[in-house]
Amino acid sequence: MADRNGVRDAVVLVSGGLDSTTVLAIAKAEGYRVNALSFRYGQRHSVELEAARRVVAAMGVERHVIADIDLRAFGGSALTDSIAVPKHDSAADLQAGLGEGIPVTYVPARNTVFLSFALAWAETLGSSELFIGVNALDYSGYPDCRPEYIAAFETLANLATKAGVEGTSRFKIHAPLMTLDKAAIVRRGLELGVDYSLTHSCYDPTPKGLSCGACDSCLLRLKGFSEAGMTDPIRYDTGTKA
């Protein structure tokens, strides 16, 4: 639904990472009034939420909700439980291991939980537009980052809501990074003026908030900047491992 000036609301999931920050910039560039949604979900560190706050403020987003849910109650992931975060010597080492099963950094049903919250907020706002930064190329094999998953959730959204059933809205899940590799994502964000120094992607940062440079997320990020011909502007504890 648009206001009297024709401006449409969108709910954008913002983690503070590279991908979600790029999606936030895309939604703004497409003319949406962004309602940013982040989660304190029991993750082992608060660095990413601090990054989300920085990103949202820098982009001039007026409304940012941080929802509290505790996925630690279930555990089952290296991001919410006392399970070691896997590390690799290089991006090549990481890529060689992809396809050997879903890694322990997968948080069970996380995107389904997040999108459900986003859907509830969107319906309350009278919005039908949801944005998420999932990607099916340079990623760690998570099942809830695939195009068929996004299509299925969009179908669910239109079956499970008052707006969908009454036909007042047709919900759309925007996943504009789905078919881009990390280098293309970096280039797209830089075209839109994204300041990636504000972001954070590491699964296992140091106590001072430095990125480890060796987890899946760090290595994929570093690979993306390297292939884009750019230097990652954030600080790493162990140096660049492109």
Side-chain angles (χ1 to χ4, degrees):
M1 182 182 298
D3 66 15
R4 72 178 81 183
N5 298 314
V7 179
R8 293 174 295 165
D9 279 292
V11 176
V12 182
L13 294 175
V14 180
S15 70
L18 184 151
D19 292 346
S20 71
T21 299
T22 307
V23 167
L24 175 58
I26 289 171
K28 284 183 64 67
E30 292 181 358
Y32 290 100
R33 177 170 47 222
V34 168
N35 300 272
L37 178 59
S38 305
F39 294 91
R40 188 179 291 105
Y41 64 90
Q43 58 267 57
R44 291 176 9 169
H45 61 81
S46 62
V47 181
E48 65 179 19
L49 280 178
E50 294 164 6
R53 291 189 184 97
R54 290 194 300 268
V55 164
V56 166
M59 292 198 186
V61 174
E62 294 182 3
R63 192 165 188 194
H64 181 204
V65 169
I66 299 177
D68 286 291
I69 50 177
D70 191 3
L71 297 182
R72 289 177 300 181
F74 310 131
S77 168
L79 303 190
T80 59
D81 209 338
S82 56
I83 301 170
V85 173
K87 303 294 177 70
H88 308 273
D89 292 330
S90 66
D93 179 40
L94 167 62
Q95 301 277 161
L98 294 180
E100 296 180 356
I102 296 168
V104 295
T105 51
Y106 163 69
V107 179
R110 180 174 61 177
N111 282 344
T112 302
V113 173
F114 288 1
L115 280 171
S116 296
F117 271 67
L119 177 62
W121 193 16
E123 188 171 23
T124 301
L125 291 168
S127 169
S128 58
E129 316 295 331
L130 286 69
F131 282 77
I132 185 171
V134 294
N135 173 266
L137 294 182
D138 279 346
Y139 79 124
S140 296
Y142 300 152
D144 53 2
C145 289
R146 299 173 298 156
E148 51 267 50
Y149 165 75
I150 294 299
F153 193 94
E154 186 174 290
T155 298
L156 177 150
N158 287 292
L159 290 172
T161 54
K162 178 176 183 287
V165 170
E166 293 182 347
T168 57
S169 284
R170 177 72 190 172
F171 290 99
K172 171 68 177 175
I173 313 297
H174 299 263
L177 309 185
M178 182 63 76
T179 60
L180 302 182
D181 61 20
K182 274 290 188 290
I185 293 169
V186 168
R187 286 192 289 265
R188 179 68 176 130
L190 293 174
E191 289 170 359
L192 294 171
V194 171
D195 181 357
Y196 285 118
S197 72
L198 302 176
T199 66
H200 175 86
S201 302
C202 182
Y203 291 152
D204 191 26
T206 70
K208 293 184 178 180
L210 300 181
S211 297
C212 75
C215 69
D216 292 15
S217 187
C218 280
L219 289 171
L220 288 172
R221 177 183 174 122
L222 285 163
K223 175 176 175 284
F225 275 97
S226 176
E227 291 179 351
M230 305 295 294
T231 300
D232 189 346
I234 67 170
R235 295 171 61 203
Y236 285 86
D237 182 48
T238 58
T240 299
K241 294 174 178 278

